[in-house]
Amino acid sequence: MIRHVVMFKFKADEAPTRGEVANRLRAVLEPLADSVDGVTSLQFGVDDKDIPAHWDAVLISEHTTKEALAAYQQHPDHLEALKVINDLVSTKVVVDYTL
């Protein structure tokens, strides 16, 4: 089992726009749990923004194997989600590790 963790910094800083960004990301990321084989779980969460140094949001997904994670990253639905992410996110960091 592989856990895939991605943290995002949004381009938008204003609260209403920040909420819209979060909703848009949630809308493109959460369906990947059902559309991509090998994804066993997927969660998207938004930081409460109480501490300025925090990242804005996080995606945590689990995949059956390293190969399943690689297939997820090349899946057409994921590639479409990346287009939205790249429009809305200024920075992201990723950690993948074996459970």
Side-chain angles (χ1 to χ4, degrees):
M1 188 77 69
I2 305 295
R3 184 168 286 157
H4 175 65
V5 180
V6 185
M7 294 190 307
F8 304 98
K9 286 276 190 181
F10 299 163
K11 290 180 181 177
D13 286 331
E14 299 90 34
T17 304
R18 191 174 171 278
E20 292 169 10
V21 168
N23 289 338
R24 182 72 175 116
L25 290 177
R26 183 181 313 281
V28 299
L29 290 170
E30 287 184 344
L32 296 175
D34 297 323
S35 68
V36 181
D37 290 338
V39 177
T40 60
S41 71
L42 186 146
Q43 298 175 331
F44 177 77
V46 179
D47 188 73
D48 291 336
K49 205 63 170 168
D50 291 337
I51 301 172
H54 282 196
W55 287 70
D56 293 311
V58 64
L59 169 74
I60 301 171
S61 60
E62 293 181 0
H63 307 262
T64 54
T65 63
K66 289 180 183 179
E67 293 79 16
L69 174 59
Y72 163 85
Q73 292 172 331
Q74 294 305 312
H75 191 280
D77 292 348
H78 181 262
L79 296 175
E80 285 300 312
L82 281 177
K83 291 177 185 176
V84 175
I85 291 166
N86 291 336
D87 283 343
L88 302 175
V89 169
S90 63
T91 308
K92 66 180 179 177
V93 293
V94 180
V95 175
D96 297 326
Y97 60 94
T98 303
L99 296 174

